[in-house]
Amino acid sequence: MERGHEPLKGYWSLPGGVLEVGETLHAGICREVLEETGLVVRPEAGAEVFERIMCDDGGRAEYHYVLLDYVCRVVRGSLVAGDDVSAAEWVKRGDLKNFRLTDGTLEVIERVYEKRKRAATRI
């Protein structure tokens, strides 16, 4: 999905957002994905945990995010650009390099593919 607002407006990234007070992680994942993509999902596995610290022009931390990426299965719905999104589309893995991705997004996706490939060969 292409981010429709700052920070990183115009960059493509994975759906995400802020948990609401008292909201479980599972519920927050489902809500954010639905709001941003129109898809109802079932979170299946944690994929990645990392921090993103973005500094202002003076070098001071302006944004500090702790990101928890999850692999989810689509249960129902049709992909549409939602509330904070300017565009949403399904992209073939090999075409991801043609998108202006946020730092780390491609690496997270590639690591998920590799983990799943290794798990499938162990069966």
Side-chain angles (χ1 to χ4, degrees), residues 5-63:
H5 301 287
E6 295 297 345
L8 300 171
K9 180 180 179 178
Y11 281 81
W12 287 77
S13 187
L14 301 169
V18 176
L19 286 175
E20 296 176 357
V21 175
E23 183 176 44
T24 66
L25 182 56
H26 182 275
I29 292 166
C30 295
R31 177 186 52 77
E32 284 289 345
V33 172
L34 179 62
E35 289 174 0
E36 294 183 1
T37 69
L39 300 172
V40 175
V41 297
R42 182 179 65 241
E44 292 193 337
E48 190 87 16
V49 177
F50 64 99
E51 290 182 285
R52 175 170 290 134
I53 300 172
M54 301 169 64
C55 296
D56 64 16
D57 293 337
R60 293 179 302 266
E62 185 174 17
Y63 298 100

Side-chain angles (χ1 to χ4, degrees), residues 45 47-48 74 83 89 91:
E48 190 87 16
V74 175
D83 61 354
E89 62 183 86
V91 177

Side-chain angles (χ1 to χ4, degrees), residues 39-110:
L39 300 172
V40 175
V41 297
R42 182 179 65 241
E44 292 193 337
E48 190 87 16
V49 177
F50 64 99
E51 290 182 285
R52 175 170 290 134
I53 300 172
M54 301 169 64
C55 296
D56 64 16
D57 293 337
R60 293 179 302 266
E62 185 174 17
Y63 298 100
H64 184 172
Y65 299 102
V66 176
L67 304 166
L68 308 171
D69 286 318
Y70 274 74
V71 174
C72 296
R73 180 165 308 280
V74 175
V75 176
R76 68 179 178 277
S78 297
L79 182 62
V80 295
D83 61 354
D84 290 341
V85 178
S86 56
E89 62 183 86
W90 295 109
V91 177
K92 291 182 181 179
R93 182 179 176 193
D95 294 337
L96 288 169
K97 63 186 175 300
N98 300 322
F99 286 76
R100 186 175 165 199
L101 300 175
T102 56
D103 287 342
T105 297
L106 183 59
E107 292 81 4
V108 167
I109 293 168
E110 290 298 334

